[in-house]
Amino acid sequence: TPFTPAISLIISLRESLRLIQEEGLANVFERHRRLARATRAAMSALGLELFAPNASSDAVTAVKVPPGIDGKKLVKELRDEWGITLAGGQSELTGKIFRIAHMGWTTEFDILMGISALEMWLFRAGCKLELGAGVRAAEKEFLK
């Protein structure tokens, strides 16, 4: 090649494929399904509305920002204060939705930590919700 190839990307790809082979592709897909179900159950338990109620993708859950809440502030403060990364909406959905990813090397505990941080932030911002309701709903899904 005329340029130095991105060796780190090739090594990362090899390691990712090794991990997928080790876990088994069917198990990877099932883990993503389980994480998606738990995330969506948690959002429902918190009284939050899913952007796509009949989502068919197990990669991400999009959630409507509750009325009176600044969606950009939610995403920024969760990241800056607690190290929890959610994605905001794009284009006309900026500040109106947030997205929780549950694909890749995400675990049950990653999801539970994210839900807990989201609950605390929303509660602190004045949302009427029962602290722990989302975490509890997700835990029940994980135990099925």
Side-chain angles (χ1 to χ4, degrees):
T1 63
F3 306 101
T4 304
I7 299 300
S8 61
L9 293 178
I10 294 168
I11 293 169
S12 296
L13 174 61
R14 183 180 66 192
E15 180 63 10
S16 295
L17 292 172
R18 186 191 67 75
L19 291 169
I20 290 169
Q21 186 174 28
E22 184 178 290
E23 185 176 358
L25 189 56
N27 294 329
V28 171
F29 289 142
E30 178 53 34
R31 179 169 45 83
H32 293 152
R33 276 190 291 278
R34 191 172 61 254
L35 296 173
R37 281 192 312 265
T39 300
R40 293 169 187 155
M43 297 304 104
S44 177
L46 292 172
L48 300 176
E49 186 179 353
L50 298 179
F51 181 69
N54 299 316
S56 60
S57 171
D58 294 326
V60 66
T61 296
V63 182
K64 292 182 181 180
V65 174
I69 297 297
D70 181 342
K72 288 190 211 177
K73 184 177 179 183
L74 181 155
V75 170
K76 181 181 182 333
E77 289 186 1
L78 280 175
R79 182 191 65 235
D80 293 349
E81 293 178 26
W82 292 330
I84 302 295
T85 302
L86 302 178
Q90 298 175 337
S91 189
E92 66 273 359
L93 295 176
T94 299
K96 296 177 183 175
I97 67 167
F98 59 90
R99 295 170 290 149
I100 301 172
H102 25 72
M103 194 168 110
W105 302 111
T106 305
T107 69
E108 289 88 351
F109 292 104
D110 294 325
I111 295 298
L112 292 172
M113 282 182 15
I115 292 166
S116 178
L118 176 64
E119 286 180 358
M120 290 189 295
W121 191 94
L122 289 171
F123 186 84
R124 187 176 71 183
C127 283
K128 303 293 184 223
L129 58 86
E130 179 189 349
L131 286 174
V135 170
R136 185 170 43 257
E139 287 174 334
K140 286 180 181 179
E141 281 295 319
F142 289 142
L143 291 173
K144 287 183 179 178

